[in-house]
Amino acid sequence: MKAILLSFSVILLSACNQQTISYKEISQRTNGSKDIVQEFAKQLKEKLQTAIKDGGALNAISVCNEQAPFIAKQLSEQSGWDIHRTSLKHRATKPDAWETTIMQSFEQKYADGDKFKRLFAQDVVEINNKPAFRYMQAIETKKICLLCHGESIAPELASKITELYPDDIATGFKLGSIRGAFSIVQYLD
Ligand code: HEC
């Protein structure tokens, strides 16, 4: 009974939150999120390509290890939102419950044949009693990603990754599959 009451109140809460934000605002916040994701992906891709060209994949680990969190931090500061990447099979950043559910739904849609541009989701939820707009967008595994996330990783690269991330489970990805997702939190007050 308690569980039923609890889930009922959660539904009520999220229903209330939905009303505090108009469809127009949801669409504005979604578009703002998409822009930031595009910028994040662009900066990361440039850094990654340059680093691999200059010194190989081993050199590029520092891009992912240091630059990715740094770009995310910079964009978060500029926008006032929390911007990060996560994955069901993660190397550094574990997903929370909402992110896990959304990424599972992306996997389902992907299996049903949806294209990447349709793999995004948004919602208004409570995080620590604070209303927040959340957005997620799936990230495709490109050829370059396989170097460090694929099925066969060069031995010295693999040992560097294990050294930095002993709990790494972000390997074994196939070209074109979902590597993870960008995730954005915009607090509403
Ligand atoms: C040179 C090795 C390397 C390459 C190439 C690489 N990554 Fe990564 N990736 C990493 C490392 C290291 C991390 C952990 C970053 C951190 O500490 O935040 C990571 C983390 C991630 C994460 C965050 C989620 C998690 O697992 O913690 C995503 C998503 C991701 N990579 C996607 C990609 C995609 C997409 C590509 C291709 C465009 C790519 N990576 C290419 C090494 C790499």
Side-chain angles (χ1 to χ4, degrees):
M1 184 61 193
K2 234 183 195 166
I4 297 170
L5 271 179
L6 195 68
S7 54
F8 185 53
S9 60
V10 171
I11 292 164
L12 268 182
L13 265 178
S14 59
C16 293
N17 285 338
Q18 299 284 0
Q19 284 162 13
T20 62
I21 171 167
S22 67
Y23 284 115
K24 190 174 167 220
E25 193 180 342
I26 286 183
S27 127
Q28 280 168 348
R29 287 182 183 275
T30 301
N31 289 337
S33 302
K34 286 187 177 180
D35 288 347
I36 283 262
V37 160
Q38 207 180 358
E39 182 59 30
F40 191 176
K42 186 174 147 248
Q43 289 191 28
L44 207 52
K45 191 172 153 210
E46 282 167 7
K47 288 245 157 54
L48 199 58
Q49 280 173 341
T50 317
I52 289 179
K53 214 171 113 215
D54 289 352
L58 204 55
N59 175 47
I61 286 196
S62 68
V63 170
C64 304
N65 176 229
E66 294 157 20
Q67 290 294 326
F70 178 70
I71 298 169
K73 191 168 161 267
Q74 264 191 333
L75 290 173
S76 297
E77 276 167 12
Q78 280 165 24
S79 61
W81 305 335
D82 165 18
I83 299 153
H84 60 274
R85 300 178 307 164
T86 183
S87 176
L88 290 173
K89 276 173 64 177
H90 43 84
R91 178 156 293 165
T93 318
K94 277 189 194 165
D96 64 20
W98 185 83
E99 289 171 327
T100 300
T101 309
I102 297 295
M103 285 190 289
Q104 284 166 345
S105 78
F106 288 166
E107 290 291 348
Q108 187 57 53
K109 286 182 184 169
Y110 178 80
D112 293 343
D114 266 9
K115 298 273 175 278
F116 268 86
K117 64 170 192 281
R118 290 173 57 97
L119 300 183
F120 66 92
Q122 68 282 80
D123 201 356
V124 178
V125 297
E126 293 247 326
I127 305 175
N128 301 328
N129 295 325
K130 282 192 268 173
F133 170 87
R134 297 196 77 164
Y135 175 85
M136 268 193 124
Q137 184 175 319
I139 307 173
E140 185 174 353
T141 309
K142 299 269 171 62
K143 200 170 162 215
I144 196 175
C145 320
L146 298 176
L147 281 172
C148 302
H149 296 296
E151 289 173 301
S152 71
I153 298 168
E156 53 168 7
L157 205 54
S159 60
K160 183 79 193 165
I161 292 170
T162 316
E163 186 193 316
L164 288 168
Y165 306 92
D167 301 325
D168 179 40
I169 49 166
T171 56
F173 287 88
K174 290 192 165 63
L175 186 66
S177 67
I178 302 176
R179 168 57 192 93
F182 291 103
S183 182
I184 295 187
V185 179
Q186 304 178 18
Y187 284 103
L188 296 171
D189 32 64

